[in-house]
Amino acid sequence: MQVHVVKSKIHRVKVTGADLNYIGSVTIDEDLMEAANIIEGEKVQIVNNNNGERLETYVIPGPRNSGEITLNGAAARKVAKGDVLIIIAYGIMEIEEAKSFKPSLVFPDEETNLLK
């Protein structure tokens, strides 16, 4: 049997932008992506702590050390600049592997979105 488990999480980052006219995705500071073990094009779940919205999209890298978290395309309608998000990526693995798997959890500075 295989199960879905949390692989990566970026906890409590602020939205820095929302670009309705960009082709869908979320732009994430590449430093945050690396720290959380998230790759370009990976599917992620976005949880908005301000309004309760949950959505899925894919990741594109933003400039390093920028703190950028921009929701693009239709997802831009689900956030406002300054909203606090949790970004989660899941992996699929055998249940025995999942029992000992340790996810990559990142807790950036809540004001700047930069790694502490």
Side-chain angles (χ1 to χ4, degrees), residues 61-110:
R64 288 187 178 279
N65 201 39
S66 65
E68 181 176 357
I69 303 290
T70 300
L71 277 291
N72 302 304
R77 293 197 184 275
K78 304 288 187 178
V79 300
K81 189 174 178 180
D83 281 359
V84 176
L85 308 179
I86 298 170
I87 301 171
I88 308 163
Y90 298 92
I92 301 171
M93 59 189 72
E94 296 297 327
I95 196 161
E96 287 306 313
E97 179 186 4
K99 288 178 181 180
S100 61
F101 179 78
K102 301 291 184 229
S104 298
L105 307 175
V106 177
F107 300 89
D109 181 279
E110 291 189 31

Side-chain angles (χ1 to χ4, degrees), residues 12-86:
R12 296 187 60 84
V13 287
K14 286 188 180 178
V15 174
T16 60
D19 187 353
L20 184 61
N21 296 312
Y22 189 88
I23 298 170
S25 61
V26 59
T27 305
I28 301 175
D29 177 327
E30 198 165 4
D31 286 340
L32 294 174
M33 287 175 60
E34 280 184 7
N37 193 28
I38 293 173
I39 62 169
E40 183 173 357
E42 187 168 358
K43 178 181 172 179
V44 292
Q45 181 181 48
I46 308 289
V47 180
N48 187 327
N49 283 0
N50 290 77
N51 63 18
E53 289 281 355
R54 290 176 171 259
L55 62 102
E56 292 179 340
T57 189
Y58 63 93
V59 175
I60 59 174
R64 288 187 178 279
N65 201 39
S66 65
E68 181 176 357
I69 303 290
T70 300
L71 277 291
N72 302 304
R77 293 197 184 275
K78 304 288 187 178
V79 300
K81 189 174 178 180
D83 281 359
V84 176
L85 308 179
I86 298 170

